Amino acid sequence: MVKHFRTKQDKEIIKNVSGAFLIKGAALLVSFASMPVYIKFFNNEEVLGLWFTILSILSWILTFDFGIGNGLRNHLVKPLEEKNSKSTKEYISSAYITLALFTILIAIIVIPIILFLNWNTILNISSELVRNETLRYVMGINAISIIMQFFFRIISSILYALQMSVVNNFMALITSVSQLLFALFYIGGTPSDNLIVLSYVYLICVNFPLIITTIVIFITKLKGMSPSIKMFDKAKANTVFFDGSKIFVNQLLYLVLTGTNSFLITRLINNIQVVEYQQYYRIFMLIGSLYLIVLTPLWSGVTKAHINKDYHWINKYFKLTVLGSFIVLFAQLLIIPFLQFGFDIWLGDNAPQANYLYALIFAIFGFVFTFQSTVSTFAMGFNKTKLQAKIYGVAVVLKVLLSLWLVSYYPYWIIFVLVDIVTFAPYCILEYFDIRRIINTRLILLKESTLNEL
């Protein structure tokens, strides 16, 4: 078995996965520790639910780099593999400059809008608990934070292309730990004051690691390849943008499918149910999050193998990761009998009463999520976006209609998880068979080519 994992690319994947497991494991511990800390920090579950909803909104906005980061990630692999410094610098410079222009444009449009919206209505929270002026201020701080991330987060795409995904995990860990430590030791004020303070903390803790990492990478690993206006190449900028925009459309649709649950729960039910949703989510997505560590470096790995026509390598990892999805399902089912015990140990007096039907639904969702992530990773590695876009487009409409219909009969957060299962399942099945078809076809062509050479 070991001999099948001795290639240089295998070693790169294993190195990234091993390091990421250690870091991600620590990050998951921080995630679990943060829930009781934040409950105590806000001392109000409705405001805590509001904070979780704000974070989910921030994650939506982060996708609006129009796919430039992912476009760069895919196109940077080849010049890095060929050690073509000129082409590498042109791609990096073109992506940074294009993204800078979009960042300025977004700042001009978004900030004025945020300052005029009625956030009490949007976030379904009483103005007696948090005034609209406070919410505008909080959203303004977070808007600045997000705008900064637009520009500086492109280093993450470069790290993926360099097969250094472990560094991205480390940055995320630093961000989570620093926020947790602040919430743990800060002597808070009113829930409104704490929202403002935590927004400033989020701005610093998220952006500072990105800035430092960017500086370090460009004076070490990519020395001499830092962005330059002189190296801007219009053709490469267009390539990165237009190829990335295809991925962006899919990410946007995916975001509506997976990233809107907290907001929908807030709008259609209440903020308090967001907290319970998050409690189940953090437990049942624990194993799925660990599994995603394996998938993270594979995107660029598949792109690299595709360029080198190494379809045996791709086939090997596709089989392994599909099997991994089913192992995740089995592991999540094992959690269910111990769920109440886990809640009690984790949250103490604030522990919810375990609902085992909800737990089963969430376990199934965890499997669907990991299987979808598996087939999507290989699809993106092949730069294959059309099938995903078509199915996701239909799924978004279906999610909205089903959610509005079902929640009117049963106004509880589990409805949105159930709808996610229904909307994602068709994509999982169709994309799996399409990728299987592509790999088999390429393997047959390789075999015929080898026989002809003989």
Side-chain angles (χ1 to χ4, degrees):
M1 182 70 176
V2 175
K3 67 181 181 180
H4 295 297
F5 294 91
R6 287 181 176 175
T7 68
K8 181 182 177 182
Q9 194 164 353
D10 285 330
K11 291 175 181 177
E12 286 179 349
I13 296 291
I14 292 168
K15 180 179 71 175
N16 273 286
V17 169
S18 300
F21 260 114
L22 293 173
I23 296 169
K24 193 71 174 181
L28 289 170
L29 289 175
V30 171
S31 177
F32 271 90
S34 67
M35 180 63 77
V37 170
Y38 284 139
I39 288 174
K40 184 179 178 182
F41 179 79
F42 283 107
N43 197 30
N44 185 300
E45 285 205 357
E46 191 170 357
V47 179
L48 175 58
L50 171 66
W51 176 247
F52 286 142
T53 302
I54 290 172
L55 290 180
S56 73
I57 292 173
L58 298 181
S59 72
W60 306 349
I61 304 172
L62 271 176
T63 64
F64 285 91
D65 70 344
F66 298 95
I68 293 170
N70 284 319
L72 177 63
R73 173 180 178 173
N74 275 354
H75 285 283
L76 203 55
V77 172
K78 186 175 181 180
L80 286 172
E81 179 73 5
E82 296 172 348
K83 301 188 186 305
N84 187 333
S85 300
K86 181 176 181 292
S87 183
T88 299
K89 186 163 184 172
E90 285 176 344
Y91 270 117
I92 290 172
S93 299
S94 302
Y96 265 100
I97 292 168
T98 304
L99 189 57
L101 294 174
F102 276 115
T103 302
I104 294 168
L105 179 63
I106 289 168
I108 292 171
I109 295 171
V110 169
I111 292 178
I113 292 174
I114 283 175
L115 297 178
F116 284 99
L117 290 175
N118 186 326
W119 288 100
N120 287 101
T121 302
I122 295 170
L123 297 173
N124 192 24
I125 192 165
S126 169
S127 58
E128 294 179 5
L129 189 58
V130 183
R131 293 184 305 123
N132 190 49
E133 290 77 10
T134 300
L135 287 176
R136 283 177 177 170
Y137 189 62
V138 166
M139 296 307 292
I141 297 167
N142 286 301
I144 294 169
S145 174
I146 290 298
I147 288 164
M148 291 174 66
Q149 286 183 72
F150 271 138
F151 185 74
F152 291 113
R153 193 171 285 276
I154 198 170
I155 191 64
S156 296
S157 299
I158 294 172
L159 290 168
Y160 285 130
L162 288 167
Q163 296 283 290
M164 294 175 65
S165 60
V166 67
V167 179
N168 282 323
N169 287 313
F170 186 65
M171 285 194 291
L173 176 61
I174 291 174
T175 297
S176 298
V177 169
S178 52
Q179 289 181 89
L180 175 63
L181 290 174
F182 178 85
L184 187 61
F185 293 108
Y186 176 72
I187 300 174
T190 66
S192 293
D193 291 339
N194 289 346
L195 273 175
I196 294 171
V197 171
L198 203 56
S199 296
Y200 277 117
V201 171
Y202 178 82
L203 184 152
I204 295 167
C205 293
V206 170
N207 287 290
F208 189 70
L210 292 171
I211 295 169
I212 295 300
T213 302
T214 300
I215 294 169
V216 171
I217 288 297
F218 281 115
I219 62 176
T220 55
K221 191 77 175 178
L222 293 178
K223 188 175 182 180
M225 298 184 211
S226 55
S228 167
I229 295 176
K230 293 180 181 179
M231 297 300 288
F232 177 82
D233 184 288
K234 186 178 179 180
K236 285 184 171 61
N238 287 337
T239 299
V240 167
F241 175 71
F242 287 113
D243 280 4
S245 64
K246 297 175 188 176
I247 300 173
F248 166 70
V249 170
N250 290 359
Q251 284 184 318
L252 192 59
L253 294 170
Y254 175 78
L255 175 65
V256 176
L257 291 171
T258 62
T260 55
N261 283 353
S262 291
F263 178 74
L264 289 172
I265 295 167
T266 289
R267 287 290 302 147
L268 300 177
I269 309 174
N270 57 54
N271 279 293
I272 294 174
Q273 285 205 33
V274 175
V275 177
E276 187 175 359
Y277 164 75
Q278 285 287 335
Q279 289 165 346
Y280 277 80
Y281 184 91
R282 294 191 186 203
I283 283 186
F284 280 97
M285 294 309 290
L286 169 64
I287 298 167
S289 297
L290 289 171
Y291 172 77
L292 290 181
I293 294 170
V294 178
L295 295 180
T296 301
L298 271 180
W299 177 338
S300 295
V302 171
T303 302
K304 185 176 178 179
H306 182 46
I307 290 169
N308 295 327
K309 298 182 179 180
D310 190 356
Y311 296 104
H312 290 288
W313 187 93
I314 294 173
N315 186 46
K316 174 176 66 178
Y317 278 92
F318 187 61
K319 288 179 178 178
L320 279 172
T321 50
V322 167
L323 176 62
S325 299
F326 285 93
I327 293 172
V328 167
L329 172 61
F330 178 71
Q332 288 181 321
L333 292 174
L334 288 179
I335 292 174
I336 295 175
F338 307 100
L339 183 59
Q340 188 62 60
F341 176 75
F343 276 148
D344 292 340
I345 294 296
W346 178 30
L347 299 171
D349 294 338
N350 296 303
Q353 185 66 38
N355 184 313
Y356 293 100
L357 177 59
Y358 286 12
L360 178 61
I361 292 171
F362 229 120
I364 295 170
F365 166 73
F367 164 69
V368 172
F369 175 79
T370 51
F371 195 89
Q372 172 273 329
S373 298
T374 295
V375 294
S376 181
T377 295
F378 284 82
M380 292 301 101
F382 282 130
N383 200 18
K384 176 181 172 297
T385 58
K386 288 184 179 179
L387 178 63
Q388 190 180 78
K390 290 175 183 177
I391 300 174
Y392 278 6
V394 174
V396 165
V397 176
L398 186 62
K399 171 163 184 169
V400 173
L401 294 177
L402 278 177
S403 296
L404 291 172
W405 177 53
L406 292 174
V407 83
S408 65
Y409 291 98
Y410 191 75
Y412 293 94
W413 60 264
I414 195 62
I415 285 297
F416 302 101
V417 182
L418 190 60
V419 169
D420 285 342
I421 295 171
V422 173
T423 53
F424 266 122
Y427 170 72
C428 292
I429 296 167
L430 293 174
E431 190 72 272
Y432 169 79
F433 284 108
D434 202 42
I435 291 172
R436 187 73 271 164
R437 176 189 60 80
I438 291 170
I439 294 173
N440 288 340
T441 301
R442 299 300 170 87
L443 288 174
I444 291 169
L445 291 173
L446 280 176
K447 186 177 181 179
E448 290 175 349
S449 176
T450 302
L451 289 173
N452 290 333
E453 287 177 3
L454 293 174

